[in-house]
Amino acid sequence: MNVDFFLGANSGAGFYSFYDEFCCDKGDYLYLIKAGAGGGKSGFMRKVAAAAAERGYDTESVLCSGDPASLDAVYIPKLKIGFMDATAPHAAEPMEFAYNSCYVNLGEFCERIYDARIEEYTRRYRQMYKVAYAYLAAAANLETADVPELISAEMLEKARLRAKSAVNRELGKRNLSGKTGRVKRRFIRCISCRGELVLNDSIDKLCKQVYCIDDRYGIEQAYLRQVLEQAVSLGFDAIVCPSPLCPDRLDAVLVPERSAAFVRASAADASAAYRSVRLDEIAARGAPKQLRHEHKLMKKHERELLTAAQQWLARAKQYHDELERVYNPHVDFASLNAFADEIIEKLFA
């Protein structure tokens, strides 16, 4: 089984990264791939992932938040081996070279290039990202702005009580393991050149029982944080999925050991939900209509800002594609593919 996630996000604070949390457990070994644009990094990792799948290994694939069609990393849990694109904006170096990590230099398959378009396209796509991040920052400000007196402490407590009930039902009331659960952070959603993308398939593969939580007013944050606190205290490992726009907020909490997921409605396919959690009813009953209208208007403006940001991310992608087209003719892909085959043969020997 292959599960997809994101390790990075185009957020209101710029590029937000969990790449330093990838393939870093005891016994893991990480290959850090270096090469330029269009240098074959994603294709190399896809070959590794395909070879693992052909041999029956589970894998975790990390999609690029800038372009979800591209692969940024792959991890093979049974072998405790990972490969990762270690170039900007998530540049990385070995932690302890040759002990738990090392380089894979795919740049050696690219000859020197004398083409001024490289400098021009690089400059232009960085400019596009700068504008996109300005729009994302504005959208994040609206996302985190609370309409005064819309949500009360009583409403939040009702949300937490519903979460406690759901966790008791799915995970139990006692810690039978005697340990505290571990937390792994991954994004299941991205804001990209292709719009917003949610990895519903990954949720479905890991968890068959999905609680889809209304999130129109933000009450779901109290619900999700209660789920996380309770799950970890009960000894269950959890995959925490922050919001890509505001990573201090949560999109989901997944507990694969019990096949249970608790996900914001905006970050899941509601039609596939095991159970709908209608938290919006709490606000609908307790908040004045005018305040709810003001909140709706704020969300409309936030959506407009996100749309503009995605358009600028798409422009950035166009220049990056042009950059790759400049590089591609200078890369010896035949030798690169032969090198990938050698790595795969050694990996699964």
Side-chain angles (χ1 to χ4, degrees):
M1 178 179 69
N2 178 71
V3 178
D4 294 331
F5 284 111
F6 298 100
L7 283 173
N10 295 309
S11 81
F15 182 74
Y16 200 94
S17 174
F18 294 143
Y19 281 84
D20 59 349
E21 300 178 21
F22 178 74
C23 190
C24 59
D25 288 342
K26 186 176 181 180
D28 281 346
Y29 197 88
L30 178 61
Y31 291 89
L32 297 167
I33 303 173
K34 300 286 189 178
K41 301 184 294 294
S42 178
F44 176 92
M45 286 184 282
R46 289 197 183 281
K47 289 196 71 170
V48 171
E54 289 171 2
R55 291 162 174 78
Y57 290 94
D58 290 340
T59 56
E60 176 186 346
S61 294
V62 175
L63 307 183
C64 173
S65 57
D67 178 11
S70 183
L71 197 62
D72 267 357
V74 62
Y75 181 64
I76 309 169
K78 188 173 182 179
L79 299 181
K80 295 185 72 67
I81 285 176
F83 294 81
M84 187 180 89
D85 178 346
T87 59
H90 37 81
E93 300 297 327
M95 291 174 285
E96 285 84 31
F97 180 74
Y99 176 70
N100 54 25
S101 48
C102 69
Y103 296 107
V104 176
N105 179 21
L106 299 187
E108 65 179 293
F109 299 105
C110 182
E111 64 185 6
R112 184 171 180 181
I113 308 171
Y114 301 90
D115 193 325
R117 290 178 298 172
I118 290 176
E119 185 176 6
E120 177 68 11
Y121 293 153
T122 299
R123 181 181 64 83
R124 286 183 179 272
Y125 92 78
R126 287 175 178 170
Q127 288 176 332
M128 304 300 128
Y129 263 102
K130 186 175 181 180
V131 178
Y133 283 151
Y135 276 106
L136 289 173
N141 284 335
L142 284 180
E143 170 71 12
T144 56
D146 296 322
V147 175
E149 300 180 2
L150 174 65
I151 304 300
S152 67
E154 181 183 2
M155 294 178 192
L156 296 176
E157 183 58 25
K158 286 182 179 179
R160 283 189 283 268
L161 288 174
R162 289 198 186 183
K164 288 179 182 178
S165 176
V167 172
N168 289 343
R169 182 166 50 249
E170 298 298 338
L171 309 185
K173 299 181 181 181
R174 297 174 55 195
N175 185 340
L176 301 178
S177 67
K179 67 180 182 68
T180 300
R182 299 179 61 195
V183 174
K184 180 168 73 173
R185 297 190 295 176
R186 297 289 188 269
F187 293 104
I188 58 165
R189 186 164 61 99
C190 79
I191 303 166
S192 76
C193 62
R194 301 174 186 270
E196 288 191 56
L197 175 66
V198 179
L199 301 176
N200 285 303
D201 285 349
S202 295
I203 298 173
D204 294 341
K205 288 177 181 178
L206 292 172
C207 303
K208 301 305 179 187
Q209 299 175 161
V210 180
Y211 284 69
C212 190
I213 309 158
D214 289 342
D215 60 344
R216 193 184 312 167
Y217 300 108
I219 305 175
E220 86 291 341
Q221 291 303 306
Y223 186 104
L224 288 168
R225 293 193 183 283
Q226 178 63 41
V227 168
L228 175 60
E229 178 183 342
Q230 207 168 333
V232 171
S233 68
L234 287 170
F236 293 100
D237 294 343
I239 301 174
V240 175
C241 305
S243 159
L245 180 63
C246 301
D248 59 336
R249 298 195 169 198
L250 302 182
D251 269 353
V253 177
L254 313 181
V255 187
E257 186 178 345
R258 296 305 296 267
S259 195
F262 304 82
V263 191
R264 293 173 64 180
S266 59
D269 181 0
S271 65
Y274 167 75
R275 186 185 295 266
S276 294
V277 182
R278 303 190 182 283
L279 295 183
D280 285 354
E281 294 176 353
I282 298 174
R285 290 195 300 266
K289 184 176 181 179
Q290 179 59 33
L291 295 181
R292 286 185 276 127
H293 174 74
E294 293 292 340
H295 185 271
K296 182 178 180 180
L297 187 61
M298 285 176 57
K299 290 300 175 185
K300 176 178 178 291
H301 292 321
E302 179 185 332
R303 176 55 52 189
E304 291 169 348
L305 290 166
L306 283 173
T307 298
Q310 290 159 14
Q311 290 171 348
W312 283 97
L313 290 171
R315 294 177 186 177
K317 176 63 167 56
Q318 289 173 353
Y319 280 109
H320 194 270
D321 287 347
E322 290 295 332
L323 188 61
E324 289 189 344
R325 279 190 278 272
V326 174
Y327 274 101
N328 281 162
H330 302 276
V331 178
D332 183 356
F333 284 104
S335 296
L336 191 157
N337 287 329
F339 172 74
D341 291 338
E342 292 177 13
I343 294 291
I344 289 169
E345 185 177 351
K346 293 177 182 177
L347 195 61
F348 299 106

